[in-house]
Amino acid sequence: MAKLLIFATAAHALQLPNVLKRGKGAAPALEKMRFLNNEEARTVAQDFGTPTYVYDAATLKARAEEALAFPNAYGLTVRYAMKACPNGAVLKLFESMGLNFDASSTHEVRRAMRAGVPASKCSLSTQQLDDDAITLMKEHSLEINCCSLSQLDTIGSALPGAKVGVRFNPGLGSGGTAKTNVGGPSSSFGIWHEQFDEVVALAKKHQLEVVRVHTHIGSGSDAEVWKRVSSMSLDLCERLGDSVKTLNLGGGYKVGRMAYESSTNLQEVGKPVTDNFRDYKERTGVELKLEVEPGTYLVANAGALVTKVQDVACTSGKDKGNDFLKLDAGMTDVLRPSLYGSQHPLVVVPSDSKKDSDDSTHEYVVVGHCCESGDLLTPAPDEPETLAPRLLKSCERGDLLVVESVG
Ligand SMILES: *Cc1c(COP(=O)(O)O)cnc(C)c1O
C-alpha cells in the first residue's frame, strides 16, 4: 500500500494556471512533473520510501475555489465526491473551504466522520444500501439520495415521513468511455426516468418528502450536454412539484492529464444550467438550489505517485521486442491505465542528481509489480491491452519514476 504525503509550499501555486490552460496540441517529447522537482522527488523517496502519493495543497485549493465559483442562479452547494480520494487530510482541507461531501457508501460517511466532518454535511448516493444508512440518517442527519425503487421503499418503511432525494437516470449518458458512462439505458445508476410514477406511488405510500432530485450522468465538458441534462432533470423536478428544493447534477467532469488533453471549463458548462434554472423560476415560481459533485476534477492533477524502477527486462534482440521498466507500484495504486487505457504523464527522475542533465532518451513499456500482464502503465489510448512504448529519459534500476495526475 502506498503512503500519502500532503505537500504544501507557496512556490507550487505558480504551477497551477498551466493545468487548466493547456489545450489540444502535439504531446511534448518528454512529460514534466506538475509540482515536484527532481530534488523534491528524491527527498520524498528517501524520507518516505516508495511508492508514495504526494498531494499538492495549492492545486487542491485552486480546484476547490473553481468549483465554488460554479455559475448558479439561486445558491450552490459543492459536494466533493470523496471516493476520488477519501484521505482525511484532503477531506479536512475541503471542509475548511466550505465544501460538503458525496459518499458512495456508509463506510465513506464513517470515514468522513472520523476525519471530523459531520455526517450532516454528507449525502449518500449508493449502489448498496445497508442498515447503517438508517442509523446515520436517524442519529446524524445524513442526507440520502435513493438510487433505486427498493431503496425508496426500504428508507420509507424505516423512516416514514423522511425528507429524501431521488436519483434518476434521465435516459441520457455522457462520459469518455463506456466504463465511465453513468447515464442512459446501459447504466444501472439511479431510477429509470420512465419509472417516475412508481417513485410517486412509493413516496406517497411512506409519506416521504422528495426534496432533491439527483442526476449524475458523467456530464463531461460539453456545454450542450449540460444544457440538455439540466432541462431533462428540471422536468423531473417540475413533475414532482414544489417539495423539490434542490437539483443535484452530479460530477464526472473531464480532466486533462496529458498536455494534449483539456479539462472542463466550469464557467462555460454552468452558463446554460443557470439559464435553465431562471426559466424554471419563471415557470414554477420555485428558486431551486444547485448542487454539483465533482470528485476526480478536484484531485486528479493534485496527486503524483513517486515510484522506484525495481527491475528492467528486455525482450528485444533478433525479434522486435520491448524494453520494460518494472515499478514497485502498479494497478494496485493506479488502475486507470489497466481499466480504461488512460494516459498518465510519466517522468523519470535519476537516483543520482549528476544524471539530471543527461539528455538521452529511450522508448520503454512501463509495467507494474503484479504478476498480471494487464498491469500496464503505458497502454495505447483507450486500449488497455495494447502495449504502447513511451519515450522517457534513459533509465536504470534504482531510478525513480513519477506517475503524474493520479489524484
Ligand atoms: C463518482 C460520483 C461522483 C463524482 O464523479 P467524478 O468522476 O469523480 O467527478 C459524483 N456523484 C456521484 C453520485 C458519484 O458516484
Side-chain angles (χ1 to χ4, degrees), residues 88-237:
V90 172
L91 298 180
K92 273 186 199 147
L93 175 72
F94 284 158
E95 197 210 2
S96 75
M97 296 180 69
L99 271 65
N100 286 25
F101 299 87
D102 160 63
S104 58
S105 70
T106 53
H107 305 291
E108 281 186 3
V109 179
R110 293 283 174 190
R111 215 179 146 128
M113 289 166 76
R114 246 174 252 163
V117 175
S120 58
K121 287 193 180 177
C122 301
S123 84
L124 177 68
S125 296
T126 183
Q127 288 280 82
Q128 188 176 343
L129 190 73
D130 57 20
D131 292 346
D132 197 29
I134 315 278
T135 309
L136 286 164
M137 284 180 72
K138 237 181 6 208
E139 292 172 18
H140 298 279
S141 308
L142 171 71
E143 292 181 10
I144 191 164
N145 296 314
C146 296
C147 296
S148 69
L149 292 171
S150 80
Q151 287 188 12
L152 205 54
D153 201 22
T154 305
I155 297 293
S157 302
L159 302 168
K163 290 185 170 145
V164 295
V166 174
R167 178 173 178 175
F168 283 99
N169 178 340
L172 175 70
S174 168
T177 70
K179 288 177 187 167
T180 55
N181 193 343
V182 286
S186 60
S187 158
S188 72
F189 301 107
I191 299 173
W192 184 240
H193 60 108
E194 288 167 328
Q195 292 171 332
F196 182 86
D197 292 343
E198 290 164 69
V199 170
V200 173
L202 280 169
K204 194 167 167 212
K205 176 177 162 199
H206 300 296
Q207 290 116 42
L208 293 172
E209 196 181 338
V210 180
V211 294
R212 192 171 47 258
V213 165
H214 183 288
T215 50
H216 164 70
I217 61 150
S219 314
S221 54
D222 184 345
E224 200 49 44
V225 172
W226 280 80
K227 187 174 163 177
R228 279 179 60 201
V229 78
S230 58
S231 59
M232 288 162 103
S233 306
L234 286 167
D235 284 345
L236 293 166
C237 297

Side-chain angles (χ1 to χ4, degrees), residues 22-38:
R22 281 182 197 144
K24 284 208 165 64
L30 288 181
E31 283 119 20
K32 294 194 177 67
M33 286 187 283
R34 285 184 185 274
F35 56 89
L36 290 169
N37 61 36
N38 284 8

